[in-house]
Every structure is written in C-alpha cells, then in structure tokens.
Amino acid sequence: MGKGYDSNFLGSTVPAVPLPSFSKSLEQDVLERETLSNNSEGRRIYRNYHNYTIVMSKSHRTALFAALNVDQSKLHQTDKTAGWRVDDAVGSENQLNDDYYRSNVWDKGHLAPDAAAGWGDSEEDRIAATNDTYFYTNATLQHQNFNRDEWKDLETIVRSWPQDGETSRLSEITGPLFVGTDTIQPEGRDVATIPAGFFKVVAYVSSGSGGKLESSLQVRCFVMYQDAAFLEDLGGVVDHQRYQVSVSKIEQLTGLAFPPVCHEANVGFSNSVPQQISDGDAGVFIAAAMVNPIGKDRGNEWISILNRTGKTMSFIGWRLIDQKGRELVLSSSSLGVEESEPGVTMIVQSISPIRLVNTGGSLTLFNEAGEYVDDVSYTKDQVREGVAVDLLDRS
C-alpha cells in the first residue's frame, strides 16, 4: 500500500491542508483497528493507499471521506489489473461488498476516482495507484444516473484545476452525506443507508491575478444530492458554481471539522469562520416554506422542519431567524406538539415575527443551546402562489 494523503502536498508556498477531525458524536462512529494507521492522537483510524487515505464509518460500513492528492503532470491513461475486492486490513464486516451493488441501479461510486488517483512516476506506480482505488472501502452507493452523469461531470471539471500556469497539484476530500432515510438490504445481508448526496472539498494553489504575484491557497466546496432531478436521465449538464457551498455547510451536514486554513481560503466564503455546530442535531433540516399562500399571508404562512436524526426530538426553545434578523423562538403553541418522531416533518404554523418575503429571503435554525443547525435561502423565482417552496433541494 502507499503512503496515503500528504497534508503538505501543495508545496511550501502555501499552508498545509490537514485532514478533518470529528464532532463528538461522529467520533464515536469512526472505525478503529490495529491494522490501520495512527492519527495525531494515536488512534488507529487511517487506511492509507497510493495517493489517498480513508476513514471508515462503523455504522454505515462506508468511508466518511477519502482524502486524495493529485499530481496532474503525472496522470496518464492507465488500465487497472485488479477488480473490486475486500480490504482485509479494514475487515470484511466493515465494508459493503458486491452484494449491495449487484443487479440494481447502484454503482460502486469511487470516492477517490481512479482517473485522478492513478498517477505516479512510473507505469508500475500508476498501475498500483489505479488498482488501489478498487477496494470496496473506496466505493459508495451512487445511483448509476448520478455517478455516470452529473457527479462525473463535476469530477472532470475539478481535474481541470489548477490551470493557466498554476501548479499541477491539487488535494481533494470527498465523502457521502448520510442525511436521508433510504436504505438497501440484499437478501441475507444487513441494511445499509444510501447516501442522500455527496460533498467534495478541493484545495489548490493559485498563482494570483490582478497584479497579485504571491501564490495563495484556494479552497472550493461542493454538495450535490442524488435527487429526482439528477436521476431522471443521463443528459445533465453541470454548472458547478450552482453547487458551491461553504466549508461550514459541509461541516454541518457531516459532523466533520475542517482546519481553519480551509475556512480562510474558501473561495466566495473567506469571511466566514467555523460555525459552532451542534454535535447531536446533524440531520435536522428546514424542509419547506409556504411563502405565498392563497389569500392573505397572515396566519396561512408556515415553515416545516424535518427530523432525520433517527431519534425523537423536541424543538421547544429552538430559534428561527429570517433575512432581517427577526427571531422566532419555537414553542408548543407555534408547533402544536411537544416532540417530533424520526422521519417526521414538524410544521411551524405561527411564524410571527418572522416574515416570508415573496421577493426572496433566508432562514437560519439554531437549537436551544444556541448552536447553528441549518440555513436556507430562496429566490423570487421559486415562489408560487399556493405552492410551498422546497428547501431540501440545496442545488
């Protein structure tokens, strides 16, 4: 096996890009084995391959992320000499095997793509690196229409960076979003959760522009969901900027904690700082809003909150804040019930003093401890009379 991900891979002119750490709740789900490599705290959680490293989820038997270094100057078309196989170092019981992908619509989606990871100084190195991407530990349940279309397009776009005289190296961290409730269970096998979507964090060196001569680190982040629009056909065209999000958003969706340097270099979001994110509330989402009801607005507007945590939740004392900073503290009178069961949508019927403006707006959700949970925005074009705005579509 290879040495794995190198945090200093982008060179001495920019800061190192360390691997993410974990929230307290996610930390409990990280697989530890004697056959794995140590992190900085001495926990044996890293599985190193040629050019990339993974950390496995115990509950999902899927990688929480794959961190990959890519040297595009050493990328050449290379055929693999090994097929998909179990990685004994991780343990067969800790990874989804071919049973979960056979005779259905689910592809073995590479987290570290073979076309990006298969680089090296010699043909032997390139073959070994390519073969290393064909372990089940690097596979995830991706719908065939998503894996072979929109997600593939994004991966191709990413491999075109950097360019225009910039360094040929980049680092990327990719992983699944377990914020949905869809599952799969092959005969005789345990249930597995199907990722609702995927994230990608890409770091590279920019040589500067507009008279700026210094090299600088740039980080771009993306989230794409395996939703109905993506799964319709194989004819999608990706405008990657539509799916660009902040590092903080990926932290909120995953429970991962990226280093400050990623926030500081986050293109388009560089003024943001790591959110104080709730450890236990990942999986709670602002789902929809009736912005323009038929008839008068007052008393007919509503906001829904979806509980995908797998546990019964109370939203009493949580806060919703709109685009003007108006704040609603949730109570039994505004919610109508005390608790929300797993998978159930809670309707906030009495939303005053919040205002849902027809010309566009935003909503941010905090839990009773004041920790950030979710935020959404909508535009004028999304608002239709008598039809709720779908806020789960984060594209």
Side-chain angles (χ1 to χ4, degrees):
M1 293 295 169
K3 296 180 180 179
Y5 178 84
D6 178 3
S7 61
N8 294 300
F9 182 73
L10 298 181
S12 59
T13 62
V14 296
V17 183
L19 293 173
S21 56
F22 315 96
S23 65
K24 291 180 181 179
S25 58
L26 184 61
E27 197 170 55
Q28 301 170 9
D29 191 40
V30 173
L31 177 70
E32 292 188 66
R33 279 173 65 96
E34 286 298 315
T35 49
L36 301 180
S37 298
N38 289 340
N39 68 356
S40 59
E41 299 172 351
R43 297 181 65 198
R44 292 186 174 274
I45 63 172
Y46 293 149
R47 181 52 167 142
N48 295 323
Y49 301 96
H50 282 85
N51 304 327
Y52 78 100
T53 294
I54 64 165
V55 173
M56 294 294 294
S57 160
K58 291 187 292 188
S59 63
H60 297 296
R61 292 168 290 156
T62 299
L64 292 169
F65 65 79
L68 169 66
N69 300 130
V70 183
D71 188 336
Q72 298 180 92
S73 69
K74 298 179 181 180
L75 269 175
H76 302 279
Q77 182 65 41
T78 304
D79 294 330
K80 65 179 175 19
T81 59
W84 286 100
R85 59 213 189 274
V86 168
D87 187 347
D88 293 332
V90 172
S92 60
E93 71 278 13
N94 296 313
Q95 54 201 290
L96 303 180
N97 63 16
D98 192 57
D99 292 345
Y100 290 85
Y101 303 96
R102 188 187 303 124
S103 302
N104 58 33
V105 298
W106 301 107
D107 280 355
K108 305 178 188 75
H110 283 78
L111 291 176
D114 54 347
W119 61 271
D121 293 319
S122 66
E123 183 178 6
E124 181 180 9
D125 289 342
R126 292 191 292 272
I127 291 174
T130 301
N131 287 345
D132 262 11
T133 67
Y134 284 87
F135 284 100
Y136 287 118
T137 50
N138 188 41
T140 186
L141 289 157
Q142 283 190 340
H143 193 283
Q144 59 191 16
N145 287 5
F146 179 80
N147 179 46
R148 305 175 197 181
D149 194 11
E150 288 88 357
W151 186 251
K152 181 180 179 180
D153 286 350
L154 177 62
E155 291 182 329
T156 301
I157 290 167
V158 166
R159 284 198 297 276
S160 71
W161 302 338
Q163 54 189 349
D164 299 331
E166 298 167 349
T167 175
S168 61
R169 294 186 167 197
L170 60 86
S171 296
E172 61 178 78
I173 299 174
T174 305
L177 300 175
F178 290 109
V179 295
T181 57
D182 291 339
T183 61
I184 184 173
Q185 185 174 21
E187 185 176 354
R189 295 289 182 179
D190 293 333
V191 172
T193 302
I194 298 169
F198 298 87
F199 73 87
K200 188 178 290 289
V201 177
V202 185
Y204 59 95
V205 179
S206 171
S207 58
S209 61
K212 181 180 178 181
L213 300 178
E214 301 87 0
S215 296
S216 62
L217 179 68
Q218 295 202 348
V219 173
R220 295 179 185 267
C221 307
F222 303 89
V223 165
M224 296 176 71
Y225 290 91
Q226 302 192 107
D227 58 19
F230 277 148
L231 304 186
E232 284 180 355
D233 54 43
L234 290 172
V237 177
V238 169
D239 175 3
H240 67 272
Q241 293 183 347
R242 287 187 59 199
Y243 306 102
Q244 191 166 338
V245 300
S246 68
V247 176
S248 296
K249 170 57 69 174
I250 292 177
E251 290 178 324
Q252 189 268 324
L253 289 170
T254 62
L256 296 171
F258 286 84
V261 66
C262 289
H263 292 268
E264 295 162 5
N266 194 182
V267 175
F269 302 91
S270 57
N271 292 328
S272 68
V273 296
Q275 299 270 11
Q276 183 184 8
I277 299 169
S278 167
D279 287 325
D281 300 326
V284 175
F285 300 93
I286 305 170
M290 178 57 75
V291 178
N292 187 16
I294 296 174
K296 64 179 183 179
D297 287 351
R298 184 177 296 274
N300 293 317
E301 294 175 321
W302 52 260
I303 301 164
S304 66
I305 300 172
L306 176 59
N307 175 14
R308 285 178 168 173
T309 65
K311 59 184 178 182
T312 299
M313 300 281 293
S314 171
F315 296 113
I316 305 299
W318 288 42
R319 294 180 296 125
L320 276 167
I321 299 177
D322 69 11
Q323 64 281 347
K324 292 293 187 179
R326 291 175 286 249
E327 179 178 308
L328 169 65
V329 179
L330 302 186
S331 63
S332 56
S333 60
S334 61
L335 294 169
V337 293
E338 294 288 337
E339 294 182 329
S340 171
E341 297 295 324
V344 172
T345 299
M346 179 85 72
I347 303 296
V348 184
Q349 193 72 52
S350 301
I351 69 167
S352 180
I354 281 179
R355 292 183 60 191
L356 298 176
V357 183
N358 293 352
T359 55
S362 65
L363 295 166
T364 305
L365 179 65
F366 296 87
N367 66 15
E368 74 282 359
E371 297 169 320
Y372 166 90
V373 176
D374 193 24
D375 67 88
V376 295
S377 60
Y378 63 92
T379 66
K380 178 181 178 180
D381 292 339
Q382 292 175 270
V383 177
R384 296 168 55 194
E385 186 179 19
V387 179
V389 176
D390 180 5
L391 299 173
L392 285 176
D393 181 2
R394 304 300 169 92
S395 62

